[in-house]
Amino acid sequence: MSCVSVPKILMPKDGINLNKWAVVACDQYTSQPEYWAETDRLVGDAPSTLRLTLPEVYLEDEDVEQRTETINETMKQYLSDGTLVELPAGFILTERFSGGEVPRRGLVAAIDLECYEYTVGSRSLVRPTEKTVVERIPPRLKIRKNASIEVPHIMLLIDDPDRTVIEPMFEKTTALKQVYNTDLMQNGGHINGWFIPEGDMTDALIAAMDALNDRTLFNQKYRLTEDLPLLPFAVGDGNHSMATAKAYWEDVKKTLTSEEQENHPARYALCEIVNIHDESLIIEPIHRVMFNVEPAKLLNNAVDFYAANGCQCIISDEVAAVDPENHTVRFCFADKTGTLTVKKPKWGIPLGTLQAFLDDYLAKHPEARIDYIHGSDVVSSLGTAEGNMGFFLPDIEKNDLFRGVIIDGVLPRKTFSMGEAHEKRYYMESKMIVK
């Protein structure tokens, strides 16, 4: 059974101003209410996905229940008055220009939520890359509970270095119907979309995605010595949106017979599938700075921690050579720099190896604290201040992102960043979740 399903996608009817229709994912600009106020001004009275979603900047407002009721009523209105039109079953091939040198290319499809689990230790075929904060699900579930459609911003990653799935489709766009071609508001760039009707092409796409699960190739790709659970899809963005869809489906499923469960629309979540090797995806490590620590003692603790976990930790003033079998992280404190190398680590990626120790250290030293830093220059500045210590994480190889999830279950919190806020997915497509 494939995790991928061919959905019936809802799109705005011809004549709708798509520049006003599409707005950025609701979990962006959460500390910038002025962004959303300007979006509201730009939309005005025009049909828009702004009226179908609740920007998270408003989640703590007193009128959140009234906003939610209005959203649900607007969904019904857009369905009844023809603002939203259901396309025949099919995928949408999408191309997003957001200011970089190359566009992001993706495939909008449906994923069977029976293939997805967000709990720690999940062995499902679709898994989050980072730990799901379950406390973030209930407020989102309240919004979805009485909704008739979903307007998702989920991005699923596939690891396709040979570009066998999505990229070849762009040689066939002249044979496809273009369903959108519009600029996006608020510095969002431009987006194109082509409809792929259910049939030979969708079958071939599903087969190409399934082929990524060949066990022999999978083990070779990730340097595995045992048959760990396959991972064809990793949630790169919108995991809490997907986790909410899963929680909602689990509630709905209880009310259905086995036969009704097979094709219920709530069972499937609409996603954009993107190749992690797409040139537009810039994955940057997030560094660490420890505060209120004694660096020399911290490093001694690191040696003891890794020894207790069956590894050897070597602290050096020299820059260690890159070795995929070992994990090396640079550090700084006061006027010193050096490297921490863990030989034959049991974790999948260097950050997993480092964070396991830092979590242990923080649990035993409540006076210490950690911060997550994007720029190496900031790490140098903060990490060399008295009582602080900085750790520079190496660049993340795209293959290693999947490898980390496969070996460690999920990646540590704040492992990587992928794109700026204005590059995140804009709402365009939607799908029914009720019969």
Side-chain angles (χ1 to χ4, degrees):
M1 180 191 75
S2 176
C3 295
V4 182
S5 175
V6 184
K8 289 186 176 180
I9 295 171
L10 293 164
M11 285 292 298
K13 67 181 179 182
D14 290 345
I16 296 289
N17 184 335
L18 295 182
N19 181 260
K20 295 186 176 187
W21 174 261
V23 302
V24 78
C26 66
D27 59 349
Q28 301 302 307
Y29 303 102
T30 54
S31 299
Q32 296 170 262
E34 65 276 9
Y35 175 93
W36 292 103
E38 175 62 8
T39 299
D40 186 74
R41 187 193 69 79
L42 291 170
V43 167
D45 295 329
S48 176
T49 54
L50 181 63
R51 310 306 178 202
L52 303 176
T53 54
L54 180 62
E56 293 187 8
V57 69
Y58 303 127
L59 267 183
E60 302 299 324
D61 288 4
E62 293 181 359
D63 65 346
V64 67
E65 289 191 11
Q66 180 57 53
R67 284 178 179 270
T68 300
E69 289 179 14
T70 301
I71 287 167
N72 290 333
E73 288 304 312
T74 304
M75 289 178 177
K76 294 175 183 176
Q77 176 191 329
Y78 284 3
L79 289 168
S80 63
D81 68 12
T83 298
L84 281 169
V85 177
E86 190 172 73
L87 302 180
F91 297 150
I92 290 181
L93 188 68
T94 185
E95 181 178 56
R96 168 79 180 281
F97 297 84
S98 53
E101 295 182 0
V102 292
R104 184 180 78 225
R105 291 174 161 178
L107 186 73
V108 179
I111 289 291
D112 187 347
L113 290 167
E114 289 292 315
C115 294
Y116 165 74
E117 290 288 346
Y118 55 82
T119 52
V120 175
S122 167
R123 301 169 71 86
S124 57
L125 294 173
V126 185
R127 272 172 266 162
T129 48
E130 296 185 359
K131 183 179 178 181
T132 304
V133 182
V134 293
E135 293 79 10
R136 293 180 65 182
I137 296 174
R140 291 159 179 78
L141 196 55
K142 284 183 180 179
I143 297 169
R144 195 178 184 93
K145 184 173 64 175
N146 295 313
S148 47
I149 65 174
E150 64 174 9
V151 192
H153 60 266
I154 301 162
M155 184 191 295
L156 280 191
L157 300 173
I158 57 173
D159 187 357
D160 182 22
D162 295 327
R163 294 165 170 78
T164 61
V165 180
I166 296 169
E167 291 80 0
M169 288 302 302
F170 283 86
E171 300 172 5
K172 305 173 183 178
T173 54
T174 54
L176 302 174
K177 179 183 178 182
Q178 190 162 25
V179 287
Y180 50 78
N181 175 3
T182 185
D183 289 335
L184 298 170
M185 68 167 71
Q186 295 270 59
N187 196 33
H190 189 92
I191 193 166
N192 298 313
W194 295 267
F195 181 67
I196 306 173
E198 184 174 30
D200 291 345
M201 282 193 282
T202 57
D203 290 347
L205 283 163
I206 292 172
M209 285 184 270
D210 288 345
L212 298 176
N213 272 340
D214 177 84
R215 169 55 72 183
T216 301
L217 296 177
F218 186 86
N219 286 1
Q220 289 175 351
K221 183 191 295 186
Y222 301 114
R223 309 188 302 279
L224 304 179
T225 56
E226 57 181 311
D227 287 351
L228 295 177
L230 295 166
L231 182 65
F233 301 99
V235 185
D237 218 349
N239 183 60
H240 288 91
S241 176
M242 193 158 187
T244 302
K246 174 70 171 183
Y248 175 74
W249 165 237
E250 291 298 324
D251 285 343
V252 170
K253 187 165 67 169
K254 296 172 187 174
T255 69
L256 304 174
T257 66
S258 297
E259 186 177 351
E260 289 171 332
Q261 291 174 18
E262 288 299 316
N263 294 301
H264 194 282
R267 176 171 171 162
Y268 302 91
L270 206 60
C271 309
E272 180 183 348
I273 299 169
V274 177
N275 185 4
I276 195 171
H277 297 278
D278 190 287
E279 289 86 350
S280 72
L281 293 186
I282 307 299
I283 297 177
E284 298 179 338
I286 300 177
H287 309 294
R288 271 61 174 154
V289 172
M290 297 289 285
F291 298 84
N292 201 22
V293 299
E294 295 182 50
K297 289 184 177 180
L298 184 147
L299 291 173
N300 287 335
N301 284 172
V303 172
D304 294 340
F305 171 82
Y306 291 116
N309 279 275
C311 311
Q312 181 185 10
C313 176
I314 298 173
I315 308 298
S316 173
D317 294 336
E318 305 295 327
V319 177
V322 175
D323 180 352
E325 297 302 318
N326 303 324
H327 289 166
T328 297
V329 176
R330 289 194 301 120
F331 62 77
C332 68
F333 64 90
D335 60 350
K336 299 181 182 300
T337 60
T339 57
L340 179 157
T341 298
V342 178
K343 293 196 169 186
K344 304 212 178 297
K346 67 179 186 180
W347 299 272
I349 59 174
L351 177 54
T353 299
L354 175 66
Q355 194 65 46
F357 162 64
L358 295 181
D359 287 343
D360 181 79
Y361 184 89
L362 289 163
K364 296 174 180 175
H365 296 81
E367 75 281 2
R369 68 179 182 88
I370 190 171
D371 200 3
Y372 306 93
I373 308 296
H374 287 264
S376 57
D377 55 338
V378 180
V379 178
S380 296
S381 175
L382 292 175
T384 53
E386 185 177 356
N388 295 354
M389 185 171 187
F391 292 92
F392 303 88
L393 274 300
D395 289 342
I396 299 172
E397 296 295 329
K398 290 186 172 183
N399 273 17
D400 281 350
L401 190 148
F402 272 68
R403 187 172 190 267
V405 176
I406 291 163
I407 294 175
D408 298 339
V410 292
L411 301 176
R413 182 170 176 263
K414 301 286 187 182
T415 295
F416 64 93
S417 63
M418 189 167 61
E420 303 296 329
H422 72 278
E423 298 174 293
K424 300 297 184 179
R425 197 165 204 283
Y426 273 56
Y427 298 116
M428 180 68 79
E429 305 86 355
S430 57
K431 182 182 74 65
M432 298 293 300
I433 57 173
V434 296
K435 283 203 168 182

